Every structure is written in structure tokens, then in C-alpha cells.
């Protein structure tokens, strides 16, 4: 490798461990350009047949199609902030479509020959178009797509244009006149020209990140060239394609160059060493275009027979934090450091609030870091990547050791194990190799901790660090293994669940000493304590508490098999670690924004004391717990069935009320209901009071909650006439006329019942009630009914018969009236 430091001389570097996965295969006509949407799961492809397709790479479906023209559409781009797709075609027109409404926004003749490429300004309302008419034009959509400047200087077709992401006032163009030109938006003539290709140049792209001022170009001479646009020199020529190179670009996040050729292959080159790392051939004929998106590892590729989307490796950033709060992370080959001590974290810091931290440059690495990991004592940091590992001092970032290895894990005392490309496991102590082992199965990965974990495709073996003896074989293939600091507990995280196990080191050592070992090791070495059906993304032990983030973007901790959610995360976050003195869990996102959440160590210690039934210790720890954490403790105690203790501890009136109901403690529930002042709380308490036969309290609760139906049941059951009178008035006031009517009817106040029915527009029901209970009032009510009904239907009103006018229709009504009169006079016999 170039520029090796002396300590690395003579060491042969290995190939990059590069995993490439295909996320989408979209069969179609020839694809001339591709683009990836920044927020939606969409890939856009413009086709030679005149169409534009938008594919959803999550569902693998074609979601939108635009019939643009009958001629080839050679370029199309998303303008996400406007919800647009802009398209350029061989009819020399630029068309703008709204991809939500599918309507055309604008169309105009933009060039005098085929339109080859667009470049959209990342911040302003501009985009550039390049054409076979040898010009580049700048368009401003805020000025109704006015052509604000034309750039001329090429002597052949202008195949591609690209903005400089580090200086968006400049851009570069590639032309079949064999040159690359760099321009500024304020001048119609180029700043300078880069020459070196022997044939026409098809593509140009800028390096997005890092401090190197590089351009990459692909040409018909079958080469890819890398240029320093500050020194105006070619720094590398990459050879390997066997036909025209149609497209080349820097990967937006990783140190790779991607190129596509008419030979049907996509080649991936190391942007540090310039060597070819991988060749991809998906048998879809010639490659015409590439598209990528900053902030992702995905690249779209356009072929003769369709488009694909490929993803490079994992998008998880490389980072690590030691126990004192010093964190490091990698930005490409640069190592940055930040101390959480520089972040202002106090009682007023809100959970999830982004912390203002001071980031400093620590150094660089010669390989692209796939893994960064502090040693257990925090003195060293290992960098793993490109098939190598390098150990640096954490403070001065000086090289301490290096070697070949695709896996690296630390041992708690400072030793480490390495898996090389041949599958051999090498164990080191004090940076000297003490053992080299070739196991009799294929090794997938290593896990560090108090035992050395070696995973195959079917099982996980735990070995002792000292002599590599098998301690236990577990029939599982976990994603990760997390050990507690004391080595007693470990978490095995799988695809759908994680398991908490206890390790008995003394028992295992005794069995190994006796030779009491089976093919699966010491069977009693591990015991399963808990199984939790959650997928762990990252985790860490804090004492006997396991803190983790899960696949639902929640930050949780597990104590004794009980899972408590600390926070719901708005985006995907990665666990940095826990700092006890801050009582906070720190997390970081892909852009290295740091946030924190409170998790008091005193809370964890209290919960562990309860789980161990050490209530005396729990009582001693309780005063150490902050007041704002007491509700969390109370909820934990409730989950353990300790309701009385939970009610004593909780500071939340609502929680105390609910606990009092469960404990049937009417006095405390009443006090909390007074504090809360909520109608439904009084109603709940009233129901409990009735169940406990405390009718006085039940009446009070129902009155406070305005529960008229409940009071009706209570008063009728108790025969409380005075209560019924008061309830009738209350119900009438509250508009609960059905309850008021029931009270009046129970009291025998028929006239009041009739008045209530008439006042509430129910005259017809009043007439029928009067016929039964007050015949003397039937005639008057029928007249009122007739009057109201005539306003709606005159014939129906006339059809109503008044008993005074049509006595023959009511033969029994006279006898009823006579009976009521005699009863009123005190004559009951014979009535």
C-alpha cells in the first residue's frame, strides 16, 4: 500500500471485506438515467422508449409511470422539495411533472439537440442541463424556469454535468471532446480544463466527503481517472473494463469508486489504494448509468434490460465510548473524538435533546474502519477494516500493534482474539501471540467477554481464554453476545428474542479440572434466567441491568426479566454507552448527533434489591432515589405485586388512586379523587363504594360525578323518596329527562310527568300516559297534540279523536274517570 509507515513495511494488505446486496431488480426497456429519492423508498429510471418509471424498492413494485414522449428520455431527476420529476429527452424538451398529482407542471424546448444530463443545485432554485448542442444551461424555477445563463466552451457533446458538493457555486462537465471542464455559476466560460483521456469522456463526479479535492471520470478509452482539481493533475488511472466506461462515481459514504461499462460489469475500486475490490455482473447487458444518495450506502444502476439497486455493507457507523465518557467515531478514514464532559448535562437537560459537544480530530487510519472498539480498560482502541486490524493508543492515537484479521474481540483483562481470513483463531496477551487454533468447523464470527465465543452456522461455542478448552456449546446462532462486567450474566441476542443467562464460573472451572466434560462442554455452566421476545439492536450491561435499543426504535432496560421502556426514539439511534456519574444513557445517530436519556443507577440498584427479596437493602436505597423517579419505582413494584409498597411510594395522585381501588382502600381513594377532581374517578370510586356497601360514600361520589343513573338505582333500592325528589330536579337541570321522568313516576307525581313530557316535545306519549293515569287531562293534551301535528300534517291532526267529542270511541274512559273520582272522595269499595 502507498505511504506505509515504517512499522507496517513488509505487511501485505488483504482485500476489503465488502458485502454487496441487491435490494431491487426492475426489468424494463433500456435505462438511460437513474436517481434515488431522499425520503421515499423510490428509484427513478428514465427509459429509451420515452417513459419514466418510479419503483418502490421496499415492496419491489412499480408505483408510478410517466408517458413523456415517443423518443428516448436520457435524463431525469427528482426535485424532492418541490415534489417534481424533471425529464430531458431527444425532442430537445425539458418537462416537469408533479409526482404526487402526476400532472405536467411545465414543458419547453430547452436545447437545439439531445439533452444528456441534469444536475440539481442542493440548496437554491437552480438546475443545469447539458446537451449534444455542446452547451450547458442554468435554469431557475423561481423565475418560471428562465434560462439565466448559458455556458459554452466544449467542442463536442456534453455528456454529464455535476455540482461540486464542497463549493456549490462550481460544477464540472464531461464531454466527448475528451476533456473535463470546471466552471463557476458566475461566468459563462470555464475556469480550467482537465485533459488526459484518449477518447470521449462520458461521466464526471465529485468526491462528497473528506479533504481531498478529487474528481472521477469515465471514458470511451475504457479507463476511469481520478483528478485533483486543485492541482489540475490526474492522480490515478484505473484500468480493468473491456469496453466503454459509461459512468463512474464516488460512493457517497464509503471510500469506494463505482464504475459501469458497456462490458456489462460494475466495478468497485478502493478510493485509497486505487485497487479493484469487486466486480459485479448481473447479466442485464450493458451498464449505462449510476445514481447514489448522500447519507446512504445504496447505489442504483441502469442497464439495457432494467435497473437494480445495490447496498454496500451495513449503514451502522463505526464508534466507541469508554467508561469515562470519551467517545470516538470514524468519518471515512478520519478519527474524531469527543468527551461527554464537554456536553452541558444537568437536571434541566431534556431527554432526547441534542447535546452540544466539542468534536476534535484525533488522527487517521490507513484502512476504512468497519469496527471501532475500546479495550476494557479504555487505554487502547482497535480499528478493524479491509481485512486488517490496528491497535492504537486511545489518547495519542499511536500505533501499538497490527495484523491481518476479519474479526477482533477483547478479553476483559486486555488480551484479544483475532480471526484471520483462513478461519484460524489467534489469541494474544500483552500483544504477543499465545495460541493459534484452527477449529474443525467454519467460523462465522467471534464474541468477546469472560469467555471467547466462536459462532458457526449452527451453534455457538464458548471457550476459556487461557487454554481454549470448550466450556459450553449452545445450539443457537445469535447476532451478538453481551457480558456483564462481573461475568455472571450474559445476554444472547437473536433475530426475534434475547435470552439472559447466568454463568457459574466456579462450577465450570471445577468440572474442567475434574475432566467432567461432554461433547457439549459443561452442561451446568449456564442457566437460562429470562427470555424476552424483542430484537436487540445494541445493548450494554449496567450492573445487573441490561440496557438496549430494539427494532421498534425504543430504548429499554431489562431487570429480572421485566422490561421498562425509557424512551421511544424518533429515528434510528445507536447506543454509545452509560455513564454512572451522569446517570445517563448516551446515543448517537448516523450523522453523529449525540443525545442522552436519564437512567439513575439508584433506581437500578433498588429494583435489583427487590428482585432478590432483600427488602431491607431496598429500604436503605429508597432515600437515594430522586423524587421524579419514584413513579417509575412504584410502577415496578406494582408489576411485582407489591401494591401496598407501591401506593406508599408513588407521588402521582392518579397512580395512587388506581392502587387504592385495587386494594379497596376507600379512604385513600377518596382523598385522591378530591385531588384529581375528575368525574370518572368519582364514578369509579362510587362503584367500589356500592360493592363495599358504603352507601353514604357511594351517594357522595355519584353526586360529585353527576351520575344520575347511579343515583336512581341507589335511591330506588333504598326507597329514599327525598333523594328521588332532589334527583328529579338535578336530572331535569342536567337534561337527563329519562331519569327525571322515572323519579317522578316512582313518586306518583303524574301531573309533573305529563308536564315534563309536554315540555320536551313528547305530547303524543303524554296523551297515552294521561289516558291511563289521568283521564281527565286527556282532552286538553289531545288538543295540544292536534295543534302541533297540524303544522306537519293537517290530515293526520284531524284524524286524532278527542274523548269528549267521540265518547263512543272510548267506552271505558267514563268508567275510569268515575272510578278515579270516587277514589278521590274516599270511596274504594266497588271501584
Amino acid at each position: 500500500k502507498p505511504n506505509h509507515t515504517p512499522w507496517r513495511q513488509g505487511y501485505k494488505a488483504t482485500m476489503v471485506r465488502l458485502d454487496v446486496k441487491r435490494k431491487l431488480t426492475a426489468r424494463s426497456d433500456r435505462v438511460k438515467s437513474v436517481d434515488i429519492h431522499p425520503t421515499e423508498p423510490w428509484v427513478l429510471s428514465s427509459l429509451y422508449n420515452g417513459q419514466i418509471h418510479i419503483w418502490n424498492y421496499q415492496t419491489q413494485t412499480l408505483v408510478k409511470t410517466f408517458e413523456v414522449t415517443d423518443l428516448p428520455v436520457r435524463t431525469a431527476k427528482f426535485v424532492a422539495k418541490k415534489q417534481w420529476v424533471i425529464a430531458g429527452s431527444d425532442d430537445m424538451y425539458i418537462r416537469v411533472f408533479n409526482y404526487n398529482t402526476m400532472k405536467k407542471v411545465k414543458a419547453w424546448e430547452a436545447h437545439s439537440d439531445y439533452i444528456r444530463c441534469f444536475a440539481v443545485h442542493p440548496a437554491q432554485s437552480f438546475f443545469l442541463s447539458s446537451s449534444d448542442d455542446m452547451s450547458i444551461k442554468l435554469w431557475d424555477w423561481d423565475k418560471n424556469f428562465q434560462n439565466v445563463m448559458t455556458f459554452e466552451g466544449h467542442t463536442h457533446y456534453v455528456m454529464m454535468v455535476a455540482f461540486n458538493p464542497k463549493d456549490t457555486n462550481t460544477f464540472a462537465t464531461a464531454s466527448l471532446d475528451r476533456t473535463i471542464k470546471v466552471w463557476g455559476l458566475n461566468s459563462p466560460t470555464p475556469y480550467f480544463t482537465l485533459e488526459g483521456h484518449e477518447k470521449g469522456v462520458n461521466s464526471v463526479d465529485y468526491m462528497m466527503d473528506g479533504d481531498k479535492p478529487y474528481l472521477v471520470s469515465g471514458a470511451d478509452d475504457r479507463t476511469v481517472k481520478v483528478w485533483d482539481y486543485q492541482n489540475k493533475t490526474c492522480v490515478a488511472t484505473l484500468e480493468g473494463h473491456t469496453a466503454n466506461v459509461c459512468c463512474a462515481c464516488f460512493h457517497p459514504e464509503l471510500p469506494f469508486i463505482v464504475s459501469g461499462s458497456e462490458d456489462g460489469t460494475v466495478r468497485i475500486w478502493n478510493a485509497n489504494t486505487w485497487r479493484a475490490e469487486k466486480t459485479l455482473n448481473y447479466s442485464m447487458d450493458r451498464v449505462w448509468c449510476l445514481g447514489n444518495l448522500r447519507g446512504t450506502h445504496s447505489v442504483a444502476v441502469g442497464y439495457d434490460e432494467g435497473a437494480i439497486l445495490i447496498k454496500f455493507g451495513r449503514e451502522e457507523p463505526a464508534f466507541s465510548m469508554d467508561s469515562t465518557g470519551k467517545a470516538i467515531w470514524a468519518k471515512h478514514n478520519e478519527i474524531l473524538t469527543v468527551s461527554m464532559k464537554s456536553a452541558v448535562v444537568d437536571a434541566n437537560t431534556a431527554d432526547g435533546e441534542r447535546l452540544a459537544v466539542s468534536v476534535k480530530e484525533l488522527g487517521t487510519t490507513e484502512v476504512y474502519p468497519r469496527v471501532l472498539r475500546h479495550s476494557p480498560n479504555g487505554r487502547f482502541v482497535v480499528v478493524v477494516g479491509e481485512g486488517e486490524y490496528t491497535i492504537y493508543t486511545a489518547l495519542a492515537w499511536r500505533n501499538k500493534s497490527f495484523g491481518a484479521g476479519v474479526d477482533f474481540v477483547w478479553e476483559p483483562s486486555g488480551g484479544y482474539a483475532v480471526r484471520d481470513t483462513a478461519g484460524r483463531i489467534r489469541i494474544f496477551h500483552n500483544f504477543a501471540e499465545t495460541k493459534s487454533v484452527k477449529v474443525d468447523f467454519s467460523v462465522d464470527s467471534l464474541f468477546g467477554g469472560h469467555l471467547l465465543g466462536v459462532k458457526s452456522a449452527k451453534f455457538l461455542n464458548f471457550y476459556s481464554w487461557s487454554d481454549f478448552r470448550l466450556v459450553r456449546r449452545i445450539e443457537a446462532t445469535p447476532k451478538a453476545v453481551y457480558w456483564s462486567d462481573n461475568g455472571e450474566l450474559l445476554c444472547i441476542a437473536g433475530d426475534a428474542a434475547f435470552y439472559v443467562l447466568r454463568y457459574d464460573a466456579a462450577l465450570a472451572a471445577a468440572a474442567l479440572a475434574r475432566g467432567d466434560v461432554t461433547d457439549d462442554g459443561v452442561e451446568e455452566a449456564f442457566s437460562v434466567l429470562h427470555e424476552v421476545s424483542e430484537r436487540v439492536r445494541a445493548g450494554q450491561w449496567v450492573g445487573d441491568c441490561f440496557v438496549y435499543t430494539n427494532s421498534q426504535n425504543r430504548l429499554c432496560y431489562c431487570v429480572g426479566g421485566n422490561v421498562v421502556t425509557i424512551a421511544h426514539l424518533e429515528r434510528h439511534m445507536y447506543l454509545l454507552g452509560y455513564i454512572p456519574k451522569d446517570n445517563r444513557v448516551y446515543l448517537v445517530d448516523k450523522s453523529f448527533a449525540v443525545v442522552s436519556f436519564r437512567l439513575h443507577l439508584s433506581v437500578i440498584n433498588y429494583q435489583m434489591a427487590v428482585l432478590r427479596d432483600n427488602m431491607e437493602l431496598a429500604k436503605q436505597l429508597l432515600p437515594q432515589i430522586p423524587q421524579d423517579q419514584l413513579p417509575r419505582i412504584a410502577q415496578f413494584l406494582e408489576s411485582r405485586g407489591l401494591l401496598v409498597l407501591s401506593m406508599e411510594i408513588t407521588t402521582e395522585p392518579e397512580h395512587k388512586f388506581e392502587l387504592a381501588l385495587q386494594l379497596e382502600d376507600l379512604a385513600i381513594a377518596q382523598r385522591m379523587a378530591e385531588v384529581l377532581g375528575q368525574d370518572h374517578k368519582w364514578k369509579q370510586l362510587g362503584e367500589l363504594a356500592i360493592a363495599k356497601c358504603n352507601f353514604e360514600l357511594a351517594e357522595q361520589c355519584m353526586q360529585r360525578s353527576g351520575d344520575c343513573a347511579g343515583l336512581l338505582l341507589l335511591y330506588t333500592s333504598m326507597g329514599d323518596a327525598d333523594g328521588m325528589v332532589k334527583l328529579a330536579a338535578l336530572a331535569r337541570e342536567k337534561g337527563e329527562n329519562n331519569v327525571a321522568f322515572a323519579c317522578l313516576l316512582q313518586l306518583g307525581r303524574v301531573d309533573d310527568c305529563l308536564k315534563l313530557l309536554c315540555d320536551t316535545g313528547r305530547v303524543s306519549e303524554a296523551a297515552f300516559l294521561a289516558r291511563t293515569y289521568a283521564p281527565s287531562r286527556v282532552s286538553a293534551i289531545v288538543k295540544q297534540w292536534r295543534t302541533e301535528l297540524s303544522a306537519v300534517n293537517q290530515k293526520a291532526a284531524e284524524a286524532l279523536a278527542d274523548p269528549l267529542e267521540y265518547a263512543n270511541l272510548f267506552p271505558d274512559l267514563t268508567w275510569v274517570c268515575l272510578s278515579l273520582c270516587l277514589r278521590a272522595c274516599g270511596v274504594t269499595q266497588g271501584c
Side-chain angles (χ1 to χ4, degrees):
K1 293 173 70 171
N3 301 321
H4 276 314
T5 49
W7 64 274
R8 296 179 66 90
Q9 289 178 357
Y11 173 64
K12 184 179 180 181
T14 56
M15 299 288 281
V16 173
R17 184 185 180 186
L18 181 61
D19 298 322
V20 179
K21 295 182 180 179
R22 185 162 21 166
K23 309 295 287 186
L24 171 71
T25 301
R27 294 282 178 176
S28 67
D29 197 18
R30 183 186 303 170
V31 177
K32 298 304 293 181
S33 74
V34 286
D35 196 19
I36 305 174
H37 197 282
T39 57
E40 300 289 343
W42 293 346
V43 172
L44 176 148
S45 58
S46 67
L47 308 183
Y48 197 78
N49 65 7
Q51 295 181 343
I52 292 175
H53 289 176
I54 296 178
W55 293 82
N56 185 314
Y57 54 79
Q58 290 181 349
T59 62
Q60 307 284 306
T61 56
L62 177 63
V63 292
K64 298 177 188 291
T65 300
F66 296 89
E67 300 285 347
V68 180
T69 179
D70 294 332
L71 298 173
V73 180
R74 296 185 185 271
T75 181
K77 291 282 186 182
F78 283 118
V79 184
K81 56 189 170 186
K82 304 294 288 186
Q83 292 84 50
W84 288 344
V85 170
I86 55 174
S89 52
D90 283 3
D91 59 3
M92 289 83 81
Y93 271 74
I94 294 177
R95 294 173 176 85
V96 181
F97 299 90
N98 185 303
Y99 57 65
N100 287 329
T101 65
M102 304 293 288
K103 293 183 178 179
K104 188 186 297 181
V105 177
K106 181 82 172 179
W108 70 98
E109 187 171 351
H111 288 272
S112 58
D113 209 335
Y114 297 169
I115 300 171
R116 291 284 180 174
C117 184
F118 290 141
V120 180
H121 196 282
Q124 300 187 50
S125 59
F126 301 148
F127 70 93
L128 292 164
S129 61
S130 65
S131 169
D132 286 359
D133 64 9
M134 300 180 289
S135 72
I136 307 100
K137 293 186 178 182
L138 180 67
W139 310 90
D140 187 343
W141 62 69
D142 281 350
K143 297 180 179 179
N144 196 27
F145 299 95
Q146 179 182 340
N147 178 204
V148 294
M149 186 171 289
T150 300
F151 307 88
E152 296 180 331
H154 281 294
T155 58
H156 210 311
Y157 304 161
V158 185
M159 302 298 288
M160 187 168 286
V161 57
F163 276 108
N164 185 345
K166 298 173 185 174
D167 178 9
T168 54
N169 289 320
T170 61
F171 63 93
T173 54
S175 170
L176 293 188
D177 63 11
R178 306 181 184 182
T179 69
I180 299 157
K181 294 183 184 292
V182 176
W183 314 69
L185 292 179
N186 57 355
S187 173
T189 57
Y191 289 161
F192 56 87
T193 301
L194 301 174
E195 297 181 288
H197 281 290
E198 297 177 1
K199 292 186 178 180
V201 186
N202 293 309
S203 70
V204 64
D205 187 43
Y206 282 93
M207 177 179 278
M208 290 189 181
D209 286 316
D211 56 357
K212 296 175 182 177
Y214 284 176
L215 281 167
V216 64
S217 60
D220 288 342
D221 59 10
R222 305 180 181 181
T223 67
V224 176
K225 288 183 180 290
V226 181
W227 308 83
D228 185 322
Y229 57 80
Q230 287 185 352
N231 296 329
K232 304 178 183 61
T233 57
C234 177
V235 297
T237 299
L238 313 181
E239 298 179 343
H241 283 293
T242 59
N244 298 347
V245 179
C246 298
C247 45
C249 67
F250 284 103
H251 193 283
E253 298 296 322
L254 303 175
F256 299 118
I257 293 169
V258 185
S259 61
S261 166
E262 291 184 33
D263 63 13
T265 66
V266 173
R267 288 181 177 259
I268 302 168
W269 315 78
N270 190 307
N272 295 321
T273 64
W274 314 124
R275 68 188 176 207
E277 299 289 356
K278 208 176 191 73
T279 299
L280 307 175
N281 190 338
Y282 292 104
S283 301
M284 296 179 71
D285 214 340
R286 294 172 294 183
V287 180
W288 291 107
C289 51
L290 295 170
N292 56 44
L293 179 63
R294 192 167 191 170
T296 72
H297 287 193
S298 298
V299 174
V301 187
Y303 290 87
D304 270 327
E305 298 179 9
I308 66 169
L309 183 71
I310 54 178
K311 181 181 177 181
F312 290 65
R314 300 181 305 168
E315 294 186 359
E316 180 176 339
F319 60 87
S320 181
M321 186 173 77
D322 66 14
S323 58
T324 66
K326 291 182 179 178
I328 59 171
W329 53 66
K331 189 175 182 182
H332 297 289
N333 291 69
E334 299 175 0
I335 303 299
L336 306 176
T337 181
V338 60
S339 175
M340 296 306 150
K341 294 178 182 178
S342 66
V344 180
V345 179
D346 53 30
N348 297 322
T349 303
D351 283 352
E353 177 183 339
R354 181 169 181 173
L355 304 180
V357 294
S358 177
V359 181
K360 299 178 181 178
E361 292 185 7
L362 183 61
T364 59
T365 65
E366 295 191 19
V367 298
Y368 182 80
R370 184 173 56 86
V371 174
L372 285 176
R373 192 173 294 139
H374 277 91
S375 63
N377 59 16
R379 294 178 55 198
F380 302 102
V381 177
V382 66
V383 176
V384 184
E386 302 184 18
E388 307 175 18
Y389 74 89
T390 308
I391 301 174
Y392 296 90
T393 58
L395 293 177
W397 202 251
R398 293 193 179 96
N399 306 315
K400 182 67 177 177
S401 184
F402 71 97
V406 294
D407 251 347
F408 182 104
V409 293
W410 289 105
E411 189 255 342
S413 64
Y416 55 90
V418 178
R419 176 171 68 96
D420 61 23
T421 53
R424 182 172 293 276
I425 300 170
R426 300 159 63 205
I427 299 175
F428 295 77
H429 287 93
N430 296 322
F431 302 100
E433 184 174 336
T434 59
K435 200 170 192 65
S436 179
V437 181
K438 178 72 173 178
V439 294
D440 58 358
F441 55 86
S442 177
V443 179
D444 285 355
S445 58
L446 302 181
F447 300 114
H450 288 263
L451 295 175
L452 174 59
V454 181
K455 188 183 84 167
S456 75
K458 296 182 178 180
F459 55 83
L460 170 65
N461 281 357
F462 285 107
Y463 297 93
S464 60
W465 281 93
S466 57
D467 52 10
F468 203 76
R469 293 184 67 185
L470 177 65
V471 177
R472 188 72 171 95
R473 171 174 291 186
I474 297 176
E475 300 297 328
T477 55
K479 297 293 183 183
V481 173
Y482 305 95
W483 284 85
S484 63
D485 290 339
N486 60 14
E488 293 182 3
L489 299 172
L490 74 154
C491 170
I492 294 181
D495 286 327
F498 68 88
Y499 304 85
V500 178
L501 283 67
R502 184 179 299 280
Y503 171 57
D504 192 330
L507 187 150
L512 290 172
R514 294 192 309 268
D516 187 11
V517 181
T518 68
D519 291 341
D520 290 334
V522 182
E523 293 187 4
E524 298 81 12
F526 291 98
S527 56
V528 179
L529 300 181
H530 313 290
E531 177 185 354
V532 179
S533 298
E534 287 198 358
R535 182 180 177 184
V536 174
R537 278 184 169 162
Q540 176 184 340
W541 285 94
V542 180
D544 290 349
C545 167
F546 184 61
V547 182
Y548 65 96
T549 56
N550 66 14
S551 56
Q552 284 78 43
N553 282 341
R554 286 189 287 124
L555 175 64
C556 307
Y557 69 88
C558 177
V559 178
N562 292 287
V563 174
V564 178
T565 299
I566 302 172
H568 294 267
L569 306 175
E570 295 179 354
R571 59 192 184 281
H572 188 57
M573 305 290 292
Y574 304 93
L575 188 64
L576 265 177
Y578 178 78
I579 302 179
K581 73 177 185 65
D582 293 343
N583 288 311
R584 283 189 171 268
V585 181
Y586 291 86
L587 299 97
V588 66
D589 64 11
K590 286 196 297 185
S591 62
F592 300 111
V594 179
V595 299
S596 69
F597 294 88
R598 284 180 297 173
L599 178 59
H600 287 270
L601 196 58
S602 56
V603 172
I604 297 170
N605 292 335
Y606 181 91
Q607 291 175 329
M608 289 309 306
V610 172
L611 290 170
R612 292 168 178 165
D613 291 327
N614 192 341
M615 302 311 295
E616 186 63 32
L617 176 59
K619 186 176 180 180
Q620 296 173 13
L621 291 171
L622 187 60
Q624 302 174 19
I625 298 175
Q627 285 291 312
D628 62 342
Q629 296 299 307
L630 291 178
R632 178 173 289 177
I633 290 293
Q635 291 170 357
F636 167 75
L637 292 171
E638 182 184 4
S639 70
R640 304 297 299 176
L642 302 172
L643 301 184
V644 175
L645 186 56
S646 176
M647 188 168 66
E648 292 175 2
I649 288 175
T650 187
T651 58
E652 294 182 343
E654 187 158 348
H655 189 207
K656 191 180 286 285
F657 175 82
E658 296 296 337
L659 290 168
L661 289 185
Q662 293 182 58
L663 293 168
E664 298 183 347
D665 191 325
L666 296 177
I668 293 178
Q670 184 178 3
R671 288 203 303 271
M672 292 303 102
E674 293 279 2
V675 173
L676 293 167
Q678 299 171 356
D679 289 348
H680 68 279
K681 298 296 183 188
W682 285 111
K683 191 171 182 178
Q684 287 178 274
L685 179 57
E687 292 171 356
L688 177 61
I690 287 179
K692 301 295 290 183
C693 298
N694 190 334
F695 300 124
E696 182 180 349
L697 177 59
E699 180 182 8
Q700 180 184 347
C701 293
M702 292 175 184
Q703 288 173 346
R704 293 290 295 269
S705 64
D707 184 5
C708 293
L711 286 169
L712 177 62
L713 174 63
L714 182 64
Y715 291 149
T716 53
S717 301
M718 297 173 63
D720 187 346
D722 292 338
M724 297 277 279
V725 172
K726 295 176 183 178
L727 177 58
L730 175 64
R732 185 67 193 275
E733 182 182 339
K734 290 173 64 68
E736 297 187 26
N737 296 315
N738 56 335
V739 175
F741 179 85
C743 290
L744 295 172
L745 191 61
Q746 290 285 337
L747 292 168
R749 294 166 57 172
V750 177
D751 288 345
D752 290 336
C753 288
L754 294 173
K755 184 176 186 305
L756 177 62
L757 290 172
C758 291
D759 290 346
T760 54
R762 304 172 74 166
V763 182
S764 58
E765 296 172 51
F768 284 100
L769 181 68
R771 189 177 187 278
T772 304
Y773 293 100
S776 61
R777 297 196 55 188
V778 171
S779 181
I781 292 174
V782 167
K783 289 180 180 178
Q784 183 179 346
W785 185 8
R786 197 182 274 171
T787 302
E788 292 182 4
L789 187 58
S790 63
V792 179
N793 190 324
Q794 184 64 38
K795 288 186 177 181
E798 292 173 355
L800 292 176
D802 186 337
L804 294 181
E805 298 174 2
Y806 301 94
N808 60 312
L809 297 178
F810 304 92
D812 58 339
L813 195 58
T814 303
W815 294 105
V816 172
C817 290
L818 179 60
S819 175
L820 290 174
C821 289
L822 292 173
R823 191 182 296 275
C825 295
V827 180
T828 58
Q829 189 172 1
C831 291

